[in-house]
Amino acid sequence: MDNPAVVSTKYWHTLADSRIQCDLCPRFCKLKEGQRGLCFVRACQDQQIVLTTYGRSSGFCIDPIEKKPLNHFFPGTAVLSFGTAGCNLACRFCQNWDISKSREIDTLADAASPLTIASAARELGCHSVAFTYNDPVIFLEYAVDVAQACREQGIKSVAVTAGYINPEPRAEFYAAMDAANVDLKCFSEDFYQRLCAGHLQPVLETLQYIKHETDTWLEITTLLIPGQNDSTEELDALTQWVVQNLGPDVPLHFSAFHPDYKMRDIPATPPATLIRARRIAIENGIRYAYTGNVHDVDGGSTYCHECHRKLIGRNWYNLREWNLTNDGRCRFCGAECDGYFQDAPGTWGARRQPVRLANFR
Ligand code: SF4
């Protein structure tokens, strides 16, 4: 292959009619020579499935880890974030559609090798690298290589994903990831089919896999869309499923929708909806429930599941209070707070800093 961004992949097989089926995600695209899958970045070339965006990025930026959002994974630290182009779901409400729906290779402005990314993260003082903005499962080969290069330099890797991936590649992907925030878009198969062109069950299976069969730290985000997935019944069912199948210690984030992409006719989520969702989650036994994309000091802070005192006070992405001991316990009652914590909170704050990787070669 002449183009260095095009690499061979291994999750595919040849069908009886000589088309090639991609087996990376539950979409199982069946492609003829020259065709691209729904994700657009995987294609049938030379009678195999290739990834066409290896080493290409839509840009790098340093964010607070809370913005992924991860509230229990080294709070206050900086994370070097990047994405590529394309996505394997087709959510009508996509909040990142300029990247995820991009079919323009020139969107991929910044080329970077795994080693360059890991070295840049270390030099910039980032505790971790995040695969975000679009879903990293579609560029699995690149994401895994970056994660391995990071691990060699002591940098953690974070996946921000919809969890729409088949079992075999899932095992390879999560073996490389130290933390993940998985979008559970709703708790209804109808919603997944109608608004995302996908299915619910594979996502539930990914959540169970991460929680029970990996060492990857897991948090979940649900974007609440007025009238679509915010009924009390659905939130009750979703949070009960999480407690029963994943346990009470997986943090849940309810974040606010803004009208975008193909869903501009629905208003932004009222803060009261997020507060109601958080209350339902806590009533059902979720230890750590958060509101997101709104200013809500109570809903953004972390509380002890035992004595209910405030452990980490947050104002947006700024940490204002820290009541954890050096070994991650409540300073008041000694109960363990689930997650990964340093002796002291990170000091990155709420800054967002674009980075040109070309400066690190
Ligand atoms: S990863 Fe892309 S090409 Fe493969 S099945 Fe999913 S959408 Fe289709």
Side-chain angles (χ1 to χ4, degrees):
M1 288 161 212
D2 298 334
N3 184 343
V6 177
V7 296
S8 301
T9 71
K10 61 184 176 189
Y11 301 109
W12 55 270
H13 71 279
T14 306
L15 298 170
D17 63 6
S18 81
R19 289 182 301 168
I20 309 292
Q21 176 172 308
C22 176
D23 296 320
L24 182 74
C25 91
R27 201 163 288 287
F28 295 114
C29 294
K30 298 167 183 59
L31 305 175
K32 292 182 187 161
E33 184 67 21
Q35 286 184 323
R36 288 175 180 266
L38 177 122
C39 61
F40 198 70
V41 301
R42 299 178 94 82
C44 180
Q45 202 172 299
D46 300 331
Q47 286 299 294
Q48 59 174 314
I49 299 292
V50 295
L51 169 64
T52 62
T53 55
Y54 188 99
R56 304 297 305 275
S57 152
S58 54
F60 288 80
C61 196
I62 308 177
D63 287 323
I65 189 76
E66 283 78 8
K67 200 169 181 185
K68 299 304 100 191
L70 287 174
N71 280 356
H72 293 239
F73 191 72
F74 305 107
T77 58
V79 53
L80 182 63
S81 303
F82 78 102
T84 63
C87 190
N88 58 337
L89 287 175
C91 302
R92 297 179 62 79
F93 48 87
C94 184
Q95 313 273 290
N96 271 331
W97 61 274
D98 47 341
I99 293 169
S100 66
K101 300 301 165 208
S102 173
R103 304 201 154 194
E104 303 293 331
I105 289 305
D106 61 3
T107 302
L108 302 178
D110 233 350
S113 72
L115 185 59
T116 301
I117 295 171
S119 302
R122 191 171 41 75
E123 282 179 45
L124 290 163
C126 294
H127 197 271
S128 48
V129 163
F131 310 97
T132 180
Y133 309 136
N134 69 328
D135 202 306
V137 305
I138 62 169
F139 59 93
L140 175 142
E141 295 76 9
Y142 184 35
V144 166
D145 285 355
V146 172
Q148 281 168 353
C150 285
R151 208 164 259 178
E152 284 164 18
Q153 301 209 30
I155 304 290
K156 307 288 185 195
S157 290
V158 171
V160 181
T161 172
Y164 208 57
I165 185 170
N166 287 331
E168 205 186 332
R170 182 165 65 202
E172 180 184 356
F173 185 75
Y174 285 103
M177 297 298 149
D178 298 295
N181 188 299
V182 177
D183 250 350
L184 177 56
K185 294 181 184 287
C186 61
F187 202 62
S188 115
E189 171 64 14
D190 172 67
F191 179 113
Y192 263 95
Q193 284 190 29
R194 197 165 41 84
L195 300 178
C196 308
H199 298 286
L200 170 63
Q201 189 56 33
V203 181
L204 299 182
E205 288 169 13
T206 293
L207 291 170
Q208 289 173 299
Y209 175 79
I210 296 171
K211 177 63 183 169
H212 299 302
E213 296 181 50
T214 73
D215 294 326
T216 308
W217 174 252
L218 172 65
E219 301 192 22
I220 297 173
T221 296
T222 300
L223 181 80
L224 294 182
I225 306 175
Q228 301 295 324
N229 63 354
D230 64 343
S231 73
T232 294
E233 295 70 30
E234 184 165 339
L235 293 169
D236 196 41
L238 184 153
T239 52
Q240 284 196 34
W241 184 89
V242 170
V243 171
Q244 286 163 12
N245 292 274
L246 307 178
D249 54 330
V250 176
L252 267 186
H253 302 256
F254 296 105
S255 68
F257 158 89
H258 63 265
D260 214 335
Y261 193 44
K262 295 180 180 172
M263 262 184 143
R264 294 176 192 266
D265 53 335
I266 292 182
T269 313
T273 299
L274 304 171
I275 292 167
R276 174 170 53 89
R278 179 168 176 265
R279 194 195 65 234
I280 292 168
I282 292 169
E283 283 171 1
N284 279 334
I286 299 280
R287 287 180 176 175
Y288 314 106
Y290 298 98
T291 58
N293 291 351
V294 288
H295 189 225
D296 176 7
V297 172
D298 286 345
S301 296
T302 301
Y303 297 86
C304 176
H305 66 88
E306 201 61 49
C307 72
H308 308 295
R309 303 276 291 271
K310 193 181 281 185
L311 296 178
I312 306 171
R314 295 186 184 84
N315 189 345
W316 287 111
Y317 302 123
N318 287 306
L319 306 192
R320 292 289 163 83
E321 221 175 312
W322 184 263
N323 289 313
L324 286 169
T325 60
N326 287 357
D327 58 350
R329 293 179 177 278
C330 171
R331 187 164 68 78
F332 307 107
C333 75
E336 191 177 349
C337 182
D338 302 282
Y340 290 85
F341 304 97
Q342 294 174 312
D343 292 354
T347 55
W348 178 253
R351 282 172 290 159
R352 181 163 206 275
Q353 181 184 313
V355 171
R356 285 296 306 193
L357 259 279
N359 300 336
F360 290 87
R361 281 182 205 112

